[in-house]
């Protein structure tokens, strides 16, 4: 699964960048087929299309992989109850985010919070946009990510009888996840600033979607590299 998943990430990232570059272009019909409409089906920024379907699948696969660490047992795999609970929480969270990729629950909640904030607390330029969810959710997501990264780092350090390259692969995947996943929130805030404050469009949203896929893919690789020596 490692190679096909990565190739699909490259494919959907490219189609998203192409869709952004050709946005608003005059597309002619070729034998009744609208070329840009096809790109919209492969655009990670859109909702309920093939690209978001793949994104949802990737989150689900990561959740299934984390189940190995949250509920798996073997002679070599001995962790604390707290560590096991954190992995169980992470597995559940990844599966729930998989559903959210299709249902856009976080964006809906973010818009509701923005309207509430604007009506009862203060006026915010984020009103009626899809960016407000970052403020309430990002701190918890980043805290959870740091805790999971730490737990995975501990498991890599204590791998039973690993060869050098096996451990290095796990470390590389771990640090890649730590690089890409926080980049999702940073990209979202940068996009909000450019769209709402500077009043012009940006390609950052394409990078955001790519970072999201690469981050989850890296997390999947890390978990699978860890699970093998622990015989999970």
């Amino acid at each position: 699964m490692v190679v096909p998943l990565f190739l699909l990430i490259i494919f959907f990232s490219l189609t998203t960048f192409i869709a952004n570059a050709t946005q608003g272009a005059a597309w002619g019909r070729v034998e009744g087929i609208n070329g840009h409409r096809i790109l919209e089906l492969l655009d990670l920024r859109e909702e309920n299309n093939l690209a978001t379907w793949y994104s949802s699948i990737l989150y689900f696969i990561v959740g299934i992989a984390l189940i190995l660490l949250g509920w798996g047992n073997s002679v070599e795999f001995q962790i604390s109850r707290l560590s096991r609970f954190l992995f169980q929480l992470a597995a559940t969270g990844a599966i729930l985010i998989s559903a959210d990729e299709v249902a856009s629950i976080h964006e809906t909640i973010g818009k509701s919070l923005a309207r509430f904030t604007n009506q009862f607390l203060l006026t915010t330029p984020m009103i009626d946009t899809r960016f407000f969810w970052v403020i309430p959710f990002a701190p918890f997501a980043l805290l959870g990510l740091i805790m999971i990264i730490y737990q995975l780092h501990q498991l890599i350090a204590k791998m039973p009888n690993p060869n050098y390259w096996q451990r290095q692969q796990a470390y590389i995947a771990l640090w890649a996840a730590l690089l890409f996943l926080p980049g999702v929130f940073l990209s979202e805030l940068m996009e909000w600033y450019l769209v709402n404050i500077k009043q012009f469009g940006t390609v950052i949203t394409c990078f955001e979607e790519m970072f999201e896929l690469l981050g989850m893919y890296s997390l999947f690789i890390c978990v699978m590299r860890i699970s093998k020596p622990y015989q999970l």
Side-chain angles (χ1 to χ4, degrees):
M1 294 178 62
V2 172
V3 174
L5 287 175
F6 182 73
L7 291 178
L8 285 171
I9 290 174
I10 298 300
F11 173 74
F12 284 118
S13 296
L14 287 175
T15 54
T16 300
F17 276 99
I18 294 173
N20 179 80
T22 58
Q23 193 75 38
W27 282 73
R29 290 183 176 272
V30 179
E31 297 183 358
I33 299 175
N34 188 326
H36 195 72
R37 174 54 183 159
I38 295 176
L39 281 176
E40 288 179 347
L41 295 174
L42 306 174
D43 190 344
L44 289 164
R45 300 170 302 168
E46 300 290 336
E47 303 294 335
N48 303 318
N49 61 8
L50 290 174
T52 53
W53 177 62
Y54 169 72
S55 180
S56 175
I57 289 175
L58 184 59
Y59 271 105
F60 187 78
I61 290 174
V62 172
I64 295 300
L66 285 168
I67 286 177
L68 294 175
L69 303 182
W71 283 272
N73 286 291
S74 71
V75 175
E76 292 81 4
F77 190 66
Q78 301 296 328
I79 59 175
S80 67
R81 289 185 178 181
L82 176 60
S83 297
R84 189 175 292 277
F85 172 75
L86 290 174
F87 287 128
Q88 292 172 349
L89 196 62
T92 304
I95 293 174
L96 289 176
I97 295 175
S98 172
D100 177 71
E101 282 293 291
V102 177
S104 301
I105 298 171
H106 71 285
E107 292 179 354
T108 301
I109 295 176
K111 290 178 180 179
S112 298
L113 288 173
R115 286 192 292 270
F116 175 83
T117 301
N118 186 69
Q119 183 176 358
F120 297 103
L121 299 178
L122 51 87
T123 300
T124 168
M126 283 190 176
I127 185 66
D128 292 330
T129 73
R130 61 188 178 86
F131 305 107
F132 194 83
W133 69 271
V134 177
I135 293 178
F137 293 146
F140 295 101
L142 288 174
L143 177 61
L145 176 63
I146 291 173
M147 295 176 69
I148 292 301
I149 292 295
Y150 175 77
Q151 294 297 327
L152 291 173
H153 185 276
Q154 293 295 101
L155 288 178
I156 296 172
K158 298 176 182 178
M159 272 186 178
N161 303 318
N163 59 51
Y164 174 79
W165 180 232
Q166 187 177 36
R167 176 171 288 172
Q168 290 305 112
Q169 283 181 315
Y171 274 129
I172 291 172
L174 180 68
W175 291 112
L178 186 58
L179 172 67
F180 288 122
L181 291 177
V184 174
F185 302 108
L186 180 60
S187 299
E188 191 85 10
L189 289 174
M190 290 177 64
E191 184 186 1
W192 165 78
Y193 174 77
L194 292 174
V195 172
N196 290 275
I197 305 301
K198 295 298 184 180
Q199 300 294 317
F200 63 84
T202 172
V203 73
I204 291 179
T205 182
C206 299
F207 285 100
E208 173 201 338
E209 299 294 345
M210 182 177 67
F211 290 161
E212 184 177 331
L213 294 184
L214 289 173
M216 295 307 294
Y217 174 79
S218 299
L219 192 59
F220 170 71
I221 296 299
C222 180
V223 172
M224 297 311 294
R225 289 291 181 269
I226 290 173
S227 299
K228 186 175 180 179
Y230 282 104
Q231 298 185 16
L232 296 174

